[in-house]
Amino acid sequence: MKRHFADYLFRSYRKRKAVNSTMYLVLIVATLIALVPLFSIFGYVLAQGAPALNKSFFLELPKPVGEAGGGMANAILGTVTLVFLASLLGVPWGIATGLYLSEYGRGRLASVVRFCADMLASIPSIIIGLFVYALVVMTMKRFSALAGGLALGILMIPTVARSSEEMLKLVPQHIREAGLALGLPRWKVTLMIVLKGIRGPIVTGVMLSVARASGETAPLLFTAFNNRFWQGRLDQPISSLPVQIYTYAISPYDDWHRQAWAGALILVLLVFAMNLITRVVLAPKARKS
Amino acid sequence: MSAIMEVSGLNAWFGAAQAVKEINLSFEKNTVTAIIGPSGCGKSTFIRCLNRLHEEVPDARAIGRVLLEGDDIYGRGVDPVAIRRKIGMVFQKPNPFPSLSVFDNVAVGLRLGGLRRASILKEAVERSLTLSALWDEVKDKLNAPGTSLSGGQQQRLCIARALAVEPSILLMDEPTSALDPISTAKIEELVTELKKAVTIVMVTHNMQQAARISDKTAFFLLGDMVEYGETSRIFTAPKDSRTERYITGRFG
């Protein structure tokens, strides 16, 4: 065969190869640069926060203004409580919405719901805090753990819903058909076979939204407010790490600044731990089965 | 021989496109009926109408009469969920339920149907796996994920899953098209064995397969059933010239 293009192809091959290597290098550098903020934040928080960590930080209440020492025990417990309350609302609601969108959601209603979920996800969290303030705090006439949990829960719904929907859509249609062909009603197929089959990935989505919610400050400022003491009933104000960090960070006292850093470190570690647990403990299981 | 399922005037559509046209056909008890025809001839759609799975596809619908042991599954007020319990189905691609063990894959139909006694389930699982010629291969790894088996084993697992709920008819939609020749041979052998227990309707792309294991053969073309009869006759003395041209490989 006569070769019309051989020379051209060879020359352009060398050029393409050069472009390819350059672009590859550019991508690696860009990736490394993207990691810089993460590691510098973590390094800085670690350096600033670690010295202030001690036993009393984990076990004691904040000391009154002017007294040194004390800790954030109530804030740590408060954050756990708030995130628990939020998950109680956000997780089942979010998964239910995801189930609707993926299993039944066709036509206009579904696209409206999908659009609304995306809108809700992009509403600034402080607005959600304001909304809950107007709805719950004004009605109950006080700040409360419940209001804080509600605000964080609302925040979680759209992310849980959309991530569940995406995971559910990855389950092939013929799995559902196999369930239906066994003479099982659709809801059983959906809950016991489809959802069960992807519980790993769903939990991953949930954990990411929990991690997100546990760091939110703005929606808590005028819902859960803050509390210098151990939390009482759920209809009373409650302390939380983000709000406590905020309060301490804007104070004029060095000791409080140190504690704010320590709080920040704990919060970061908490979120890291959740991500890590999700990835290490849950993900491989989901892959194996 | 008595007919266990009688189909009359069955039509099926995807949106406005008609996929199955006016099919009349009956299946006799303890026989294997092969449905053959080129791609897109409506054979898969046809058997998916037989357990009312077709209508689960958006915009798909079917009308006609399908009598299962005398009762019309398209009758008024008939719950498709209830009739599917009597009609098992095996799909083209082996599709064991992800994250369920071998045991649970077989037990799931009974368990979600309300049977929870461990002893009953154990017995049923062993019986079904033995019927599907898989027991000896998996009896030591009943707790392994169903998806960890080989493709051929997965397909037999799916057959066991369908058999566990004791259907009177087993629909098979190209059950060997995703399998290698050895696994295919095992499934074919199994089908011949299974017809003692259950009536089988099998869609196949593979004409040799139809000739080897079926008692009756129906040839579909463009949504019509062109010819139906004893397999030996269809493959030796087809009446319709289109059937002849298809089985001799001149088209399709």
Side-chain angles (χ1 to χ4, degrees), chain A residues 46-121:
Chain A
L46 192 67
Q48 298 281 331
L53 281 182
N54 50 37
K55 214 175 95 191
S56 58
F57 180 85
F58 290 102
L59 296 176
E60 286 175 25
L61 292 175
K63 284 278 186 341
V65 180
E67 267 181 66
M72 286 198 183
N74 60 338
I76 296 174
L77 185 65
T79 282
V80 172
T81 310
L82 283 170
V83 168
F84 177 74
L85 286 175
S87 308
L88 230 48
L89 174 82
V91 173
W93 201 334
I95 292 181
T97 311
L99 274 173
Y100 166 74
L101 287 176
S102 129
E103 305 301 306
Y104 300 93
R106 295 193 190 118
R108 276 189 79 94
L109 177 62
S111 36
V112 170
V113 172
R114 219 167 268 131
F115 180 71
C116 290
D118 289 342
M119 286 290 285
L120 186 59

Side-chain angles (χ1 to χ4, degrees), chain A residues 160-180:
Chain A
V160 174
R162 293 296 259 138
S163 74
S164 308
E165 184 198 356
E166 293 310 317
M167 298 304 160
L168 283 162
K169 278 187 173 161
L170 293 181
V171 177
Q173 199 55 33
H174 59 77
I175 294 291
R176 294 181 182 84
E177 291 187 341
L180 292 174

